[in-house]
Amino acid sequence: MKYPFDETINRRNSDSIKWDVKDNELPMWVADMDFAVAPEIREALQERLSHPCYGYTAPQEDWYEAYIRFFEEMHHFQMEKEGLLFCTGVVPTISSTVRKLTKEGDHVVVLSPVYNIFYNSIINNNRVIHEVPLLYKNGEYEIDFENLEKAFALKETTLFIFCNPANPVSKIWSKEELERVGKLAYDNHVVVLSDEIHCEIVRPGKEYIPFASINDINKNNCIMAIAPTKTFNLAGIQTSAIYIPNKELRKKVDRQINTDEVAEPNIFACPAAVAAFNHGREWLKEMREYVFANRDFLEEFVEEHIPNLSVVKGDATYLVWVDISKVSTDSKAFSAFLREKTGLFVSSGHVYGGNGNQFIRINVACNRKTLIDGLTRLKEGVELYLKEKN
Ligand SMILES: Cc1ncc(COP(=O)(O)O)c(C=O)c1O
């Protein structure tokens, strides 16, 4: 490997939310990586830093070109420049969209379990969360199209927030699923907000499909939130894009992100994105290999050493969704126990809704040594839990 994914970086006392923990604790929760950002991106940031003026800025031609070329070459998907808007993040995009495209009391549909902040964006704006739980069969998740159709058909339902690929269930949606979702939404006058922030973190050999790329129905009825931040570990820089091919929808969202003052980049936001998309591909290729080898390692470790747990097989994200139902159906209590007794800090599944109370989410974007430490603590924690609770 060209890049040092095996190195240990001390992130304690570095203003990291993830690592703001006690000395004995090992954080494997919030979705950022313990890997060093690609040197190509760091160099671009250093170059910007070396210019002594940090005044107001706006996306330049190279920002549009970087997104367009990356999506064309990686996903065979052609975006038009005028469809792209800058936004400081995917969560701000979601909240602004909820505010603009729905009104108080409207239902906003999500497929649970799903990224917990979707719920905040809905509740904080006094809209109604309409959960359509994913079907969980033989260790795999599927969309419950019958219930999704019922949810979309309600007159109160105006927006669907989709996670493509899905966090935390690690699923890449197929062309058929995306087509079916798009048609159901269109037929019922529901706009699709597709959060594609995890789209590059897929198993080597697998491909994610952009929601808008399926057909004109999907394209004209969607808002796609995309970003380099998960893929290239740049979350603290706060940089993302919104792709909205439909002019009318775009005008509305553009208005709202400006009203909400989340449409302007800080001085590092665009250079970081441009460097990532233009020069980060080799790093990305290696990161995917490393992360998916970690996922497989975790799966084998659990199968062999913690047979009371089972891992949901996944081809997307560095977040592993682990079924704890044979040990506990109270994920919050179990996660708190793990943290207290072993120092291992994972995300409790209950925050993601649906059947999340029987799961924990483990972030494996760390080096192998850290992963082994985490898995050893997990094994110890499960054994202790079973001893104490039974
Ligand atoms: C599905 C999903 N969307 C959005 C975000 C956060 O996006 P941002 O940092 O751009 O607001 C995350 C972070 O974990 C995520 O998992």
Side-chain angles (χ1 to χ4, degrees):
M1 281 205 166
K2 178 173 161 193
Y3 301 98
F5 290 99
D6 264 331
E7 86 181 318
T8 300
I9 300 174
N10 182 1
R11 298 186 65 196
R12 290 182 195 273
N13 305 312
S14 68
D15 304 325
S16 156
I17 290 181
K18 184 180 180 183
W19 281 89
D20 186 12
V21 292
K22 291 189 201 133
D23 286 348
N24 70 322
E25 289 185 330
L26 177 63
M28 297 181 85
W29 62 293
V30 72
D32 74 26
M33 305 186 185
D34 293 336
F35 307 133
V37 168
E40 294 81 356
I41 303 173
R42 280 160 27 215
E43 276 158 29
L45 291 174
Q46 263 149 8
E47 196 183 314
R48 184 60 195 83
L49 188 66
S50 67
H51 189 288
C53 299
Y54 308 135
Y56 294 118
T57 186
Q60 303 298 310
E61 203 55 35
D62 61 349
W63 181 82
Y64 294 95
E65 278 171 14
Y67 269 96
I68 291 169
R69 195 172 333 120
F70 192 80
F71 272 74
E72 192 184 330
E73 291 174 6
M74 297 287 284
H75 308 300
H76 327 290
F77 178 51
Q78 190 67 50
M79 297 191 288
E80 310 80 37
K81 180 186 168 189
E82 62 273 15
L84 281 170
L85 304 171
F86 175 89
C87 187
T88 53
V90 170
V91 169
T93 297
I94 295 169
S95 291
S96 289
T97 302
V98 166
R99 275 192 285 283
K100 190 67 177 185
L101 299 189
T102 69
K103 39 183 210 319
E104 284 201 13
D106 277 5
H107 286 212
V108 179
V109 174
V110 297
L111 298 176
S112 60
V114 78
Y115 177 51
N116 51 322
I117 309 300
F118 286 3
Y119 300 115
N120 298 9
S121 295
I122 300 168
I123 290 173
N124 291 344
N125 289 298
N126 299 321
R127 275 57 165 174
V128 178
I129 296 167
H130 193 124
E131 258 189 75
V132 176
L134 291 164
L135 300 171
Y136 184 56
K137 284 187 205 155
N138 306 322
E140 277 199 45
Y141 282 93
E142 278 171 31
I143 296 175
D144 181 345
F145 279 102
E146 207 176 302
N147 272 328
L148 187 64
E149 184 164 13
K150 282 187 196 149
F152 282 178
L154 285 182
K155 64 179 184 323
E156 295 86 359
T157 303
T158 42
L159 183 68
F160 171 46
I161 312 180
F162 192 34
C163 199
N164 174 38
N167 165 21
V169 302
S170 311
K171 177 125 181 166
I172 304 179
W173 303 111
S174 69
K175 183 169 177 289
E176 292 68 34
E177 285 164 324
L178 296 175
E179 193 172 344
R180 214 167 150 191
V181 165
K183 169 106 174 58
L184 273 184
Y186 174 81
D187 287 348
N188 289 286
H189 309 284
V190 173
V191 174
V192 179
L193 168 49
S194 188
D195 173 343
E196 312 205 342
I197 196 168
H198 290 278
C199 71
E200 311 303 335
I201 310 162
V202 295
R203 188 180 288 281
K206 296 279 177 185
E207 283 194 34
Y208 119 100
I209 309 169
F211 186 82
S213 72
I214 297 291
N215 53 30
D216 282 347
I217 293 182
N218 284 29
K219 185 170 178 179
N220 289 317
N221 190 40
C222 83
I223 293 156
M224 256 173 56
I226 48 183
T229 42
K230 285 290 143 204
T231 309
F232 295 101
N233 206 20
L234 304 169
I237 293 204
Q238 306 198 328
T239 182
S240 82
I242 321 174
Y243 176 60
I244 317 177
N246 178 318
K247 198 171 167 186
E248 208 178 309
L249 274 181
R250 184 165 70 243
K251 199 168 165 183
K252 288 184 184 168
V253 174
D254 194 11
R255 183 78 204 100
Q256 190 67 40
I257 58 174
N258 277 282
T259 308
D260 293 340
E261 307 297 355
V262 290
E264 281 175 21
N266 69 64
I267 200 74
F268 301 111
C270 293
V274 170
F277 289 134
N278 290 351
H279 305 296
R281 283 190 218 186
E282 216 181 323
W283 183 93
L284 170 58
K285 184 173 170 287
E286 290 191 2
M287 182 276 281
R288 284 168 61 173
E289 282 164 12
Y290 198 93
V291 159
F292 282 87
N294 268 359
R295 282 192 80 110
D296 293 345
F297 184 91
L298 181 149
E299 214 175 291
E300 281 160 27
F301 184 99
V302 167
E303 243 173 66
E304 197 173 326
H305 302 288
I306 327 177
N308 284 321
L309 304 186
S310 64
V311 176
V312 172
K313 295 204 184 322
D315 288 327
T317 83
Y318 49 71
L319 306 162
V320 186
W321 192 235
V322 180
D323 187 335
I324 59 163
S325 57
K326 286 193 191 137
V327 176
S328 166
T329 48
D330 183 350
S331 183
K332 192 176 176 188
F334 176 73
S335 310
F337 180 92
L338 260 187
R339 187 171 181 185
E340 191 200 322
K341 302 288 180 186
T342 73
L344 178 63
F345 184 2
V346 298
S347 302
S348 165
H350 81 282
V351 300
Y352 306 98
N355 67 349
N357 219 6
Q358 304 175 20
F359 292 82
I360 53 172
R361 194 191 75 169
I362 306 180
N363 179 343
V364 298
C366 57
N367 68 11
R368 183 60 63 85
K369 192 169 155 231
T370 306
L371 178 63
I372 293 172
D373 181 2
L375 290 172
T376 310
R377 293 178 196 229
L378 182 63
K379 178 175 183 295
E380 184 197 331
V382 169
E383 286 165 1
L384 275 174
Y385 190 87
L386 287 170
K387 211 183 279 170
E388 284 194 23
K389 304 289 164 183
N390 291 324

